[in-house]
Amino acid sequence: DIVMTQSPDSLTVSPGERATINCKSSQSVIYRSNKKNYLAWYQQKPGQPPKLLIYWASTRESGVPDRFSGSGSGTDFTLTISDLQAEDVAVYYCQQYYNTPRTFGQGTKVEIK
Amino acid sequence: QVQLQESGPGLVKPSGTLSLTCAVSGGSMSPCFWSWIRQPPGKGLEWIGYIHYSGSTDYNPSLKSRLTMSIDTSKNQFSLNLSSVTAADTAIYYCARHSLRGGEFDYWGQGTLVTVSS
């Protein structure tokens, strides 16, 4: 199984500041055939299902604000939330879809100061 | 807009079978993959397995011996059966669609809490 490890487990950020979440996979999630990273980011607010934010490691899902950005390749990835808003308070998960079993990071809780 | 809705008993007895159905509306089940994912209260996400519209399946090895998934494209729904449940199977169970791009989960149901208790 590919193990996904996120850091930190939680962070508190002032409104308007930047939040950075890291995700490391235990093996590369790049497909040689298309050079794409099979890595997604989700946002989960209390009482709601996860919501897809980013796929292919860096492509925003339709309707996702551009303050959310993804970067990285291979085994190391980052989700950045610039200009943090109150509505961004949530738990964020990375997930690999390179192979099965699909696996998620343990989650990073983002709170506002 | 694709919508998914889980249904099934909210309480299952230990050693019993957990059975859930996910109804899909607003789109065809073809040619997609459909997954079940669960989340114990206050914890992270665990992928259970997927079923393709053709009926082929792939299960998490940690659950494989207890797991059966099925699909009924005529009714636009797919199902999960998890046998020999224990308290460790208590969780919110979500159904989700794999995107046609590459397989990330682009649509999710609201989730249903299943408690295993006598």
Side-chain angles (χ1 to χ4, degrees), chain A residues 38-55:
Chain A
Y38 282 61
L39 188 285
W41 288 97
Y42 301 87
Q43 175 194 63
Q44 186 178 32
K45 297 181 179 180
Q48 295 184 20
K51 173 189 172 184
L52 177 65
L53 295 177
I54 302 281
Y55 58 94

Side-chain angles (χ1 to χ4, degrees), chain B residues 32-103:
Chain B
C32 300
F33 291 85
W34 305 87
S35 269
W36 289 97
I37 296 149
R38 69 181 183 179
Q39 184 172 38
K43 296 191 177 180
L45 299 160
E46 179 184 28
W47 177 74
I48 298 171
Y50 72 57
I51 186 164
H52 188 239
Y53 84 102
S54 64
S56 65
T57 56
D58 194 344
Y59 300 153
N60 193 320
S62 67
L63 298 167
K64 189 172 185 175
S65 63
R66 301 191 287 131
L67 195 54
T68 304
M69 293 185 185
S70 60
I71 191 165
D72 187 338
T73 54
S74 67
K75 293 183 178 178
N76 259 34
Q77 63 185 38
F78 60 105
S79 299
L80 162 75
N81 282 318
L82 182 66
S83 63
S84 304
V85 297
T86 69
D89 295 308
T90 294
I92 298 172
Y93 285 75
Y94 296 101
C95 55
R97 191 189 83 163
H98 297 219
S99 85
L100 293 172
R101 293 179 293 248

Side-chain angles (χ1 to χ4, degrees), chain A residues 33-88:
Chain A
S33 58
N34 60 11
K35 303 288 193 297
K36 290 186 181 294
N37 288 281
Y38 282 61
L39 188 285
W41 288 97
Y42 301 87
Q43 175 194 63
Q44 186 178 32
K45 297 181 179 180
Q48 295 184 20
K51 173 189 172 184
L52 177 65
L53 295 177
I54 302 281
Y55 58 94
W56 298 142
S58 61
T59 304
R60 262 188 308 277
E61 174 72 321
S62 175
V64 172
D66 60 7
R67 62 180 182 275
F68 291 92
S69 63
S71 62
S73 185
T75 61
D76 292 279
F77 302 91
T78 300
L79 175 70
T80 302
I81 312 170
S82 59
D83 188 22
L84 191 81
Q85 305 291 305
E87 65 258 33
D88 300 332

Side-chain angles (χ1 to χ4, degrees), chain A residues 3-17:
Chain A
V3 177
M4 308 298 292
T5 304
Q6 291 180 228
S7 62
D9 289 334
S10 65
L11 72 162
T12 304
V13 179
S14 298
E17 297 296 304

